Amino acid sequence: ADATIAARAVCQTGDVDYGWSLNLAADQLRPFLAAGSKCDNVAAPGASTEQINLNYANPKIAGDGRSEASNPHPFFNDVNVRRAFAMAIDRKSIADQIWAGITGDVTCTLLNQPPSLRSPNAAAFDVCKYDPAAAAKLLDTAGWVKGADGVRVKGGVRMELIYQTTVAGFRQQVQEVIKKSWEALGAKVELKAIPAGVFFSSDVANPDTSAKFFADVQEYGNGYGDPDPEIYMSAYTTDNIKGRAAQWRGTNYNRYSNPAYDALFVQLSKETDLAKRKDLFVQMNDILIKDAVVIPIAAFLRPVSGKAKNLKGPVANVWEGDLWNIADWSK
């Protein structure tokens, strides 16, 4: 509501010169930025992505072993299955529909800012290309066969999954689109929407937290607030897998463990040369994308604000607030 008021004030009525944090969906913002608007959009490519995370652990086991790293997921422990699920998502269509280049853009990389950290390799990865036929072939080759009901089965295990995210209009839209794609691929998908305050809670008694990850797939926005994302990338190291015994206090929600990735992170933690750090970040990003640990959908633009057309000087800065260069503003 506050964002709508700010957008209306600066873009329609012209009552103010600047509207902060217009956190609206693209279809809500578009009317404010249409022809005849009294404002310009102030936004920059951000460091947060809307992403799909796949669980490497089994959330269907009852008791203390649920979603513990010691219990591999019945099908996401196969890289070809994970790759197939990534290739079945038309992320460009989703990003164009939901974020429309106004609040975000399609991406297949976790690291998008600064631009020097964006992988030049990702565009060529098969997991970054929408190819449902190739995705189906991967599952066929991996031995997952469609039954009479269209659901794939292997070794008596049905490809059934729970896909959870927070309660947010655009996320439920994304869920519905991806559900259709994955069901066409041969999976049975149950959608679950959890209030954000519950999903991101640290309450150890709450079964629906993102840290516990008692589902097969979860979606949320995640990113970093520093141009050097070392802490952010530490989330995928084996050391950060924390299960029940540690009250789920780690950041590796996926339960992903890869010695090659861990070794690169150790190297990164000791490296001070900026050019070498950049190369290490790119290598680590590429491992996560090729392994389909996480499936980025869109890179958010941040901040998204509005300024009066005759106000000069405001420049979006993803690392600072709206007022970072206010000394340069003028009319």
Side-chain angles (χ1 to χ4, degrees):
D2 290 343
T4 304
I5 292 170
R8 182 174 292 114
V10 70
C11 296
Q12 286 189 338
T13 69
D15 291 339
V16 296
D17 291 327
Y18 205 84
W20 283 269
S21 300
L22 308 185
N23 294 323
L24 299 171
D27 59 346
Q28 294 175 296
L29 264 178
R30 191 177 286 108
F32 293 113
L33 303 173
S37 168
K38 297 181 180 180
C39 82
D40 292 321
N41 193 20
V42 181
S48 295
T49 60
E50 186 72 11
Q51 51 191 254
I52 308 295
N53 287 266
L54 306 183
N55 200 343
Y56 275 62
N58 191 344
K60 297 179 174 67
I61 291 179
D64 292 351
R66 189 178 185 186
S67 276
E68 292 286 341
S70 56
N71 295 314
H73 193 278
F75 45 88
F76 282 145
N77 63 341
D78 183 338
V79 66
N80 287 316
V81 172
R82 298 193 304 273
R83 289 171 61 219
F85 272 67
M87 293 162 66
I89 298 176
D90 187 354
R91 66 189 80 199
K92 186 177 188 310
S93 291
I94 293 172
D96 287 350
Q97 177 184 347
I98 306 296
W99 295 279
I102 298 174
T103 56
D105 287 306
V106 66
T107 188
C108 192
T109 58
L110 275 181
L111 302 181
N112 292 285
Q113 290 297 320
S116 59
L117 299 186
R118 190 179 301 121
S119 172
N121 312 312
F125 296 160
D126 57 1
V127 292
C128 290
K129 298 174 183 177
Y130 174 53
D131 193 339
K137 186 175 181 180
L138 276 176
L139 294 185
D140 292 340
T141 303
W144 290 90
V145 180
K146 279 189 177 182
D149 61 354
V151 177
R152 292 181 183 267
V153 182
K154 180 181 179 181
V157 176
R158 285 169 58 82
M159 190 169 273
E160 298 180 347
L161 60 95
I162 296 175
Y163 169 9
Q164 68 182 21
T165 188
T166 64
V167 176
F170 75 91
R171 290 202 169 106
Q172 273 64 78
Q173 287 181 273
V174 175
Q175 276 187 308
E176 289 292 344
V177 173
I178 292 179
K179 172 185 169 74
K180 290 179 181 178
S181 297
W182 284 348
E183 290 192 334
L185 188 63
K188 182 178 180 181
V189 182
E190 177 184 339
L191 300 181
K192 185 174 181 179
I194 303 166
V198 174
F199 188 79
F200 294 114
S201 168
S202 58
D203 179 4
V204 295
N206 174 6
D208 288 327
T209 64
S210 55
K212 286 185 178 178
F213 202 172
F214 286 172
D216 304 274
V217 179
Q218 60 185 8
E219 174 191 348
Y220 49 81
N222 197 15
Y224 46 99
D226 189 292
D228 187 284
E230 178 178 332
I231 294 175
Y232 180 64
M233 298 301 272
S234 72
Y236 299 96
T237 60
T238 303
D239 286 346
N240 264 310
I241 299 175
K242 308 290 184 184
R244 179 180 294 274
Q247 296 188 319
W248 299 277
R249 297 188 187 278
T251 52
N252 189 340
Y253 301 166
N254 305 61
R255 281 61 163 175
Y256 174 67
S257 180
N258 183 336
Y261 185 91
D262 291 345
L264 285 173
F265 184 78
V266 170
Q267 188 178 346
L268 175 73
S269 67
K270 299 175 181 178
E271 184 57 69
T272 58
D273 182 270
L274 292 181
K276 292 179 180 178
R277 287 182 69 81
K278 182 206 76 170
D279 290 342
L280 288 167
F281 278 127
V282 169
Q283 290 180 61
M284 294 166 72
N285 174 89
D286 289 354
I287 286 177
L288 296 175
I289 300 305
K290 287 193 290 187
D291 271 1
V293 183
V294 57
I295 306 169
I297 300 295
F300 296 130
L301 272 65
R302 288 289 186 271
V304 177
S305 301
K307 75 168 187 68
K309 288 185 180 293
N310 62 347
L311 179 65
K312 301 176 182 178
V315 177
N317 186 332
V318 66
W319 313 115
E320 299 289 348
D322 290 84
L323 303 178
W324 73 278
N325 73 331
I326 193 171
D328 300 326
W329 294 14
S330 65
K331 291 186 75 175

